[in-house]
Amino acid sequence: MAGLLGVALCGCSSLTGGTTGGTGGGTGKSSSKGSAADGPEVPESTLDLERVCTDGLGFSGMPAYDRTKKTVHPAMLMNNSGDTWSQFEPPSGDFPKGWFLGYSDKPADAELVVCLENRTKATATGKVCDMETDDGKPLKIRTYNTSYRLRIVEARTGKELYKHTGEAKSDECPVYMLTSEGEDKDKYYNEVRPKDYRKRVKPFIAP
């Protein structure tokens, strides 16, 4: 269960890097519907879209993508911060409405899959932040800059349309941080923020 760490005792400035552990996601049994015998194949859950990101395998029953059409082409955002992929629905306001499908939408409606791999590399910044745990105990946090990989893939064909590798950097201390079970409580990783890749996905989602 994630634990919340309090405001830095040193009075550090507000966070400019992303928050740790920002994945959300589709749950349920991974399965897909359809075969050569009974019709075009479509994903039944967002978990099925993992293969689009990992193996470049699309689903023949998903909508065709035509970039020449000047309309919004809905995408599913898949996030990987370790060994597994899961759907991530950006908070309201991070992207225009309709760009990314939400948790309650059908994954089979996506024309594109945006595959975001966080923390492909981590480098210590050398900065140490004085913070405290939620029960008031002092804690020193070491911060890390990270690398990320962004890819845009056609959901139907599995064809990769765009790839970008970038870095998430910050020299500031976090105001707070969330940690997941199994993560080091004394490490903070700067991760990519929606504003870092909004302009990169726009030409494909909303040409």
Side-chain angles (χ1 to χ4, degrees), residues 118-152:
N118 283 295
R119 213 184 301 172
T120 57
K121 181 181 178 182
T123 305
T125 65
K127 190 175 186 66
V128 178
C129 304
D130 291 314
M131 301 183 72
E132 62 180 26
T133 64
D134 52 2
D135 57 1
K137 295 180 181 180
L139 181 66
K140 291 187 179 296
I141 301 295
R142 293 169 290 165
T143 67
Y144 291 77
N145 290 327
T146 64
S147 298
Y148 69 91
R149 183 181 298 110
L150 175 75
R151 292 180 295 126
I152 303 174

Side-chain angles (χ1 to χ4, degrees), residues 1-159:
M1 181 177 295
L4 181 64
L5 298 180
V7 176
L9 299 178
C10 60
C12 299
S13 54
S14 62
L15 171 66
T16 58
T19 56
T20 301
T23 61
T27 59
K29 184 178 180 180
S30 176
S31 60
S32 57
K33 182 186 299 183
S35 67
D38 58 15
E41 188 180 21
V42 296
E44 290 192 338
S45 77
T46 55
L47 296 179
D48 295 326
L49 295 178
E50 177 180 0
R51 80 182 204 187
V52 180
C53 291
T54 58
D55 301 316
L57 295 175
F59 290 84
S60 60
M62 296 184 76
Y65 173 70
D66 184 354
R67 191 176 175 183
T68 64
K69 292 183 178 180
K70 303 303 179 182
T71 185
V72 172
H73 302 277
M76 187 68 75
L77 180 57
M78 298 293 289
N79 191 88
N80 187 334
S81 294
D83 298 324
T84 60
W85 290 90
S86 62
Q87 180 190 2
F88 177 58
E89 180 179 354
S92 176
D94 283 345
F95 293 95
K97 186 177 181 180
W99 281 27
F100 287 105
L101 299 178
Y103 298 131
S104 61
D105 295 317
K106 295 179 180 179
D109 291 337
E111 292 185 23
L112 298 168
V113 179
V114 175
C115 308
L116 180 62
E117 295 174 80
N118 283 295
R119 213 184 301 172
T120 57
K121 181 181 178 182
T123 305
T125 65
K127 190 175 186 66
V128 178
C129 304
D130 291 314
M131 301 183 72
E132 62 180 26
T133 64
D134 52 2
D135 57 1
K137 295 180 181 180
L139 181 66
K140 291 187 179 296
I141 301 295
R142 293 169 290 165
T143 67
Y144 291 77
N145 290 327
T146 64
S147 298
Y148 69 91
R149 183 181 298 110
L150 175 75
R151 292 180 295 126
I152 303 174
V153 184
E154 286 186 359
R156 185 173 186 174
T157 66
K159 178 183 178 182

